[in-house]
Amino acid sequence: MTNVLHECDVLVAGGGNAALCAAISARRSGAAVMMLDSAPRALRGGNARHSRNFRIAHDEPSPWIQGRYPAGDYWSDLQGVAGSAVDETLAHLLIGESAGILGWMIGNGVRFQSADDDALPYSRKTAFFLGGGKALVNALYATAEGLGVVVRHDSEVRAFHPADGLTAVTVLRDGRKETIRAGAVVVATGGFQADGDWLRDRWGEAADGFVIRGTPHATGRPLKALLESGADPVGASGLCHMVAVDGRSPGFDGGIVTRLDGVAYGIVVDRNGRRFADEGEHVGPTRFSVWGDRVARCPGAVAFSIFDTAIERGFRPSIFPAVRAASIGGLAAELGMLPAVLESTVAAFNAAVRAGGHTEGILPAKTRLAAPVAVPPFGAYPMRAGVTSTCLGVRVDCKARVLRSDGQPLGGIFAAGVIMAPNILGHGYLAGSAMTIGSVFGRIAGREAAAHARR
């Protein structure tokens, strides 16, 4: 144990949306709050910097969201992607609390896009932040600091020492270990996707080809420390929320702009030039995550979206320029494939295309949006799996208390955000739900942690 240097009522580990909501909630409940963020101030906000919307249950239109999205519809959508791996009690708590979280966020400085604004796509399920995730993060930090929350960046939590009284936390800051004691601790530090060794342990060499879409500070050290302290794990360490991104994206922090939109329109081949899936099977928002997982399982964790000049007119381009060639063989050479293999793949596909936009007599079939790849010049985007977050977390109850395997609370430790999200969304993708989980359970965790600290 190192020297005790600080004490506070509630200590919040993390620097993103869930951590900020927990810190504000605890402070508004009367607690003295300290926030520890492993990132420097310039990179504060975690993955929330790249977010853009909340999924909200509502029974009537509001200035920020159109139509109706009843709780029953929300539950059906959640079940559709999470299946049986969902804690129904926590899921219904999320849905019920989501109805009021918009007003709470507005009360804490967050601004939302008008529902009448045509700049973003129509949605009856999600409300969009005005200015995006960075504006949300900046607004919440301004509120937290204005309320008196002490924020320390470059401070990484290394270990927890749960106790019936004050819980001690070991922190690494400026190369030196410190110990902070608190009446309660909220952990909102996300997943472990920035730890390449941990990913490689679960995914093998394929992990070396993954792109991390968000913060490089989501190393999972606090998650590992919680598990070592006896927290009950939930979810699976071998699953990730991932989408297909342009393979030339930066290793970290590429965000939503690196996502590839047009995968369903052309064909997709592996690095050997062969198709391996029905490109038309998923054409809605789920297509992004479906293709992330497919690419992750390809040889070398790489694939290529192939299209011609006519097909290219139907989708939004990548932020990187397409690889182009006057012929399919020339395109194959540019991509490092055997020209004869890609030429054979494209010729077989073109011969199988039928009126109505599907194929016949070829495997895998393309069931929708099938069109010949025939009009030069031809184009391609390299694809890689872009990891948003991992799917291993800690079990919590309705008060956001971290639970041990015997179902009892782990001292005065609470959790919010991605680190407990697998209780509700163990795998799959539901747009805007991660931010809602972070805000709803951040608010609950902060309030309950403050109450615990006052005992």
Side-chain angles (χ1 to χ4, degrees), residues 157-433:
V157 171
R158 290 298 186 97
F160 299 97
H161 311 283
D164 289 334
L166 295 178
T167 290
V169 176
T170 301
V171 181
L172 183 66
R173 189 180 194 219
D174 296 331
R176 188 179 62 177
K177 285 186 178 179
E178 302 176 353
T179 297
I180 301 174
R181 297 198 307 177
V185 175
V186 179
V187 187
T189 51
F192 66 83
Q193 62 273 11
D195 184 333
D197 290 337
W198 199 344
L199 280 181
R200 200 174 299 112
D201 182 57
R202 297 295 150 182
W203 285 84
E205 293 181 357
D208 295 337
F210 292 176
V211 169
I212 310 304
R213 303 175 69 211
T215 175
H217 295 278
T219 62
R221 283 185 180 275
L223 169 61
K224 189 173 291 185
L226 277 180
L227 297 174
E228 291 171 350
S229 297
D232 190 26
V234 64
S237 60
L239 295 176
C240 298
H241 291 294
M242 54 176 71
V243 304
V245 299
D246 193 300
R248 297 161 291 182
S249 303
F252 294 96
D253 267 335
I256 194 170
V257 296
T258 60
R259 196 171 64 178
L260 285 178
D261 177 68
V263 176
Y265 292 84
I267 64 171
V268 178
V269 300
D270 63 18
R271 67 182 181 185
N272 299 315
R274 296 185 173 88
R275 292 178 62 241
F276 55 93
D278 175 3
E279 297 89 346
E281 182 180 5
H282 299 272
V283 297
T286 57
R287 69 187 186 278
F288 299 114
S289 58
V290 167
W291 279 101
D293 188 75
R294 285 175 175 172
V295 173
R297 299 177 192 283
C298 281
V302 63
F304 298 89
S305 173
I306 307 290
F307 47 86
D308 69 4
T309 296
I311 294 170
E312 187 178 8
R313 297 191 188 105
F315 60 83
R316 288 188 292 270
S318 170
I319 61 169
F320 300 100
V323 178
R324 298 190 187 280
S327 66
I328 292 296
L331 188 64
E334 292 287 337
L335 300 177
M337 301 173 189
L338 292 174
V341 175
L342 186 60
E343 288 170 345
S344 174
T345 296
V346 172
F349 176 80
N350 288 348
V353 173
R354 298 289 182 270
H358 66 282
T359 62
E360 290 180 0
I362 191 173
L363 292 176
K366 184 171 184 181
T367 52
R368 285 179 285 189
L369 299 177
V373 183
V375 183
F378 301 96
Y381 292 128
M383 302 167 63
R384 288 197 178 275
V387 181
T388 308
S389 63
T390 46
C391 296
L392 176 68
V394 294
R395 193 172 303 283
V396 300
D397 64 10
C398 289
K399 293 185 177 181
R401 296 181 296 187
V402 175
L403 302 179
R404 304 183 311 211
S405 57
D406 62 4
Q408 296 301 307
L410 181 66
I413 301 181
F414 300 74
V418 167
I419 199 169
M420 48 69 62
N423 288 273
I424 298 168
L425 195 60
H427 56 84
Y429 171 77
L430 198 62
S433 58

Side-chain angles (χ1 to χ4, degrees), residues 149-162:
V149 172
V150 175
V151 179
R152 297 173 65 185
H153 298 286
D154 299 300
S155 301
E156 184 178 58
V157 171
R158 290 298 186 97
F160 299 97
H161 311 283

